[in-house]
């Protein structure tokens, strides 16, 4: 748990009276009924230790992703896998984007890595441009961290550029960490999982948190053809890090593909509506391919909305952003209407 430090993330609805949480980017439909039933059915088994090899879950992920079982390592949420990856490779230098998910930096700093950041420009809609490869040439990192779609911008990396980066990292013996946790809820974008066998320097991170509304369960997984790396990562955590409940929930979630399809349709239409409303209020909105929106508004908006029982993500702690930048999840229409109404009242 956190202890006497500021929480750097959204989703903390426990210290205040929050009725609507837009600060965490989870599926607007919540958790599938099949997952809830699986959790309920598993409760009589919680007296047992969980399977330390996650056999059934790994087999289900293998079938879902179309990759061999020995490419898969499960963890107690995506965050644990980020930290175990950094602990396993212990790089001296790393490159990440700015802004991007803060846990990459936290994991790298724990092992003493020097982090170089490639600044994404608001005037270019935070798109990763052609200057990134020359930046890598100069930086000469041991590892590159990319989030696709990026968090908090929601921008998908152009597939051609992503392939060029993959080729560059292979040619120069650089590790490439790709976070695809939001890809399954995105309207576009291509996974690099088809390149795993030919690129042992590549690791892909995914989680059940966002797609299946399982943030409280804590379940993630990564994929790599580098068995030695996955073995090292597994040695940095305890053997029973994925609970009985989490394993059962994950197996059930992967059967809920109609749930994902329906959610993606809702996200597309509701995101379009939210963008229109925010622009009409004079805010700068970043075009997003994901299930969340980054926008620039008045300083203190997040605090004002708490008076209405609504939480949004204040993004002033992201490298490359500052006060007045916020991220909101795309939720169901009645909830989105309440958010926009509260923003108008707060203004």
């Amino acid at each position: 748990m956190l202890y006497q430090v500021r929480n750097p993330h959204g989703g903390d609805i426990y210290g205040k009276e929050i009725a609507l949480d837009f600060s965490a980017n989870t599926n607007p439909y919540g958790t599938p009924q099949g997952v809830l039933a699986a959790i309920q059915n598993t409760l009589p088994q919680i007296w047992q230790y969980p399977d330390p090899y996650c056999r059934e879950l790994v087999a289900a992920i293998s079938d879902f992703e179309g990759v061999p079982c020995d490419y898969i390592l499960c963890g107690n949420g995506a965050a644990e896998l980020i930290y175990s990856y950094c602990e396993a490779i212990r790089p001296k230098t790393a490159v990440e984007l700015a802004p991007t998910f803060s846990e990459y930096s936290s994991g790298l700093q724990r092992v003493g890595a020097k982090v170089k950041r490639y600044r994404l420009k608001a005037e270019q809609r935070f798109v990763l441009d052609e200057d990134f490869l020359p930046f890598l040439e100069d930086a000469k990192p041991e590892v590159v961290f990319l989030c696709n779609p990026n968090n908090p911008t929601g921008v998908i990396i152009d597939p051609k550029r992503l392939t060029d980066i993959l080729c560059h990292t292979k040619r120069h013996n650089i590790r490439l960490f790709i976070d695809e946790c939001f890809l399954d809820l995105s309207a576009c974008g291509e996974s690099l999982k088809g390149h795993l066998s030919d690129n042992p320097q590549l690791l892909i991170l995914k989680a059940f948190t966002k797609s299946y509304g399982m943030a409280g369960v804590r379940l993630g997984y990564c994929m790599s053809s580098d068995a030695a790396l996955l073995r090292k990562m597994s040695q940095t955590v305890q053997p029973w890090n994925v609970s009985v409940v989490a394993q059962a929930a994950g197996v059930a979630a992967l059967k809920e593909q109609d749930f994902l399809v329906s959610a993606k349709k809702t996200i597309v239409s509701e995101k379009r509506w939210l963008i229109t409303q925010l622009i009409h209020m004079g805010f700068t909105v970043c075009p997003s391919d994901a299930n969340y929106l980054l926008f620039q508004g008045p300083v203190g908006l997040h605090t004002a909305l708490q008076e209405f029982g609504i939480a949004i993500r204040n993004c002033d702690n992201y490298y490359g952003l500052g006060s007045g930048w916020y991220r909101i999840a795309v939720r169901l229409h009645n909830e989105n209407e309440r958010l926009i109404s509260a923003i108008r009242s707060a203004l």
Side-chain angles (χ1 to χ4, degrees):
M1 72 174 194
L2 294 177
Y3 184 75
Q4 295 183 354
V5 294
R6 178 189 175 188
N7 176 27
H9 301 293
D12 185 2
I13 60 173
Y14 303 99
K16 304 178 181 66
E17 293 185 7
I18 299 297
L20 281 177
D21 184 15
F22 284 83
S23 69
N25 305 322
T26 55
N27 193 310
Y29 288 163
T31 311
Q33 287 300 314
V35 172
L36 296 177
I39 291 173
Q40 183 68 35
N41 293 337
T42 307
L43 293 182
Q45 301 172 29
I46 62 173
W47 67 274
Q48 297 174 309
Y49 281 103
D51 177 359
Y53 297 100
C54 299
R55 293 172 177 88
E56 186 180 1
L57 176 58
V58 166
I61 294 171
S62 173
D63 184 61
F64 175 76
E65 297 287 3
V67 303
C69 286
D70 58 2
Y71 282 20
I72 299 165
L73 180 69
C74 298
N76 190 274
E80 180 184 72
L81 291 164
I82 293 171
Y83 284 102
S84 63
Y85 178 80
C86 294
E87 180 67 27
I89 65 173
R90 302 189 72 84
K92 293 183 174 61
T93 58
V95 161
E96 68 175 22
L97 305 180
T100 198
F101 187 46
S102 63
E103 291 301 320
Y104 312 144
S105 287
S106 297
L108 289 164
Q109 289 167 2
R110 284 190 181 189
V111 297
K114 181 179 180 181
V115 181
K116 299 180 181 180
R117 297 181 176 87
Y118 184 77
R119 181 75 174 262
L120 302 173
K121 303 175 182 64
E123 58 271 22
Q124 294 179 357
R125 300 184 174 185
F126 297 105
V127 171
L128 184 62
D129 59 23
E130 65 278 1
D131 292 334
F132 185 63
L133 281 178
F135 178 85
L136 290 184
E137 291 277 7
D138 293 337
K140 295 180 174 57
E142 295 177 40
V143 59
V144 176
F145 281 77
L146 295 176
C147 190
N148 191 37
N150 194 25
N151 176 11
T153 65
V155 177
I156 287 281
I157 301 172
D158 177 79
K160 173 62 167 59
R161 183 149 298 131
L162 197 55
T163 302
D164 289 343
I165 295 169
L166 180 65
C167 292
H168 177 90
T169 57
K170 184 175 184 179
R171 188 166 57 248
H172 294 276
N173 196 29
I174 300 169
R175 291 193 178 274
L176 178 60
F177 183 104
I178 299 286
D179 184 341
E180 294 184 355
C181 286
F182 290 105
L183 197 59
D184 287 343
L185 285 180
S186 301
C188 58
E190 299 177 10
S191 173
L192 285 182
K193 63 185 178 182
H195 298 275
L196 285 168
S197 60
D198 297 327
N199 292 270
Q201 86 283 6
L202 171 65
L203 181 137
I204 297 173
L205 179 71
K206 295 194 71 175
F208 291 82
T209 304
K210 285 78 180 181
S211 299
Y212 304 100
M214 289 167 49
V217 175
R218 309 308 305 138
L219 181 61
Y221 61 96
C222 63
M223 299 177 286
S224 173
S225 62
D226 186 346
L229 169 64
L230 297 183
R231 190 180 310 113
K232 278 187 177 181
M233 289 175 63
S234 73
Q235 291 169 349
T236 68
V237 298
Q238 50 125 338
W240 306 287
N241 58 327
V242 183
S243 72
V244 169
V245 171
Q247 292 185 38
V251 171
L254 294 174
K255 300 174 183 177
E256 298 283 350
Q257 295 317 296
D258 289 343
F259 180 84
L260 278 189
V261 171
S262 180
K264 286 171 69 171
K265 289 180 180 177
T266 296
I267 289 165
V268 169
S269 60
E270 288 303 311
K271 182 166 55 180
R272 189 182 305 120
W273 184 83
L274 279 169
I275 289 172
T276 301
Q277 299 300 315
L278 292 170
I279 290 176
H280 282 170
M281 286 188 280
F283 298 160
T284 298
V285 185
C286 176
S288 170
D289 301 303
N291 61 316
Y292 47 91
L293 291 169
L294 178 69
F295 70 94
Q296 191 173 27
V299 174
L301 179 62
H302 64 294
T303 302
L305 288 176
Q306 289 175 4
E307 300 301 317
F308 296 85
I310 293 176
I312 65 174
R313 176 67 159 89
N314 176 25
C315 293
D316 65 357
N317 68 325
Y318 279 93
Y319 288 101
L321 296 179
S323 297
W325 282 99
Y326 307 98
R327 190 195 67 202
I328 56 171
V330 178
R331 303 202 56 78
L332 300 179
H333 189 68
N334 66 315
E335 297 171 320
N336 296 333
E337 283 185 322
R338 288 171 63 184
L339 170 67
I340 294 301
S341 176
I343 292 175
R344 288 198 180 103
S345 298
L347 292 177

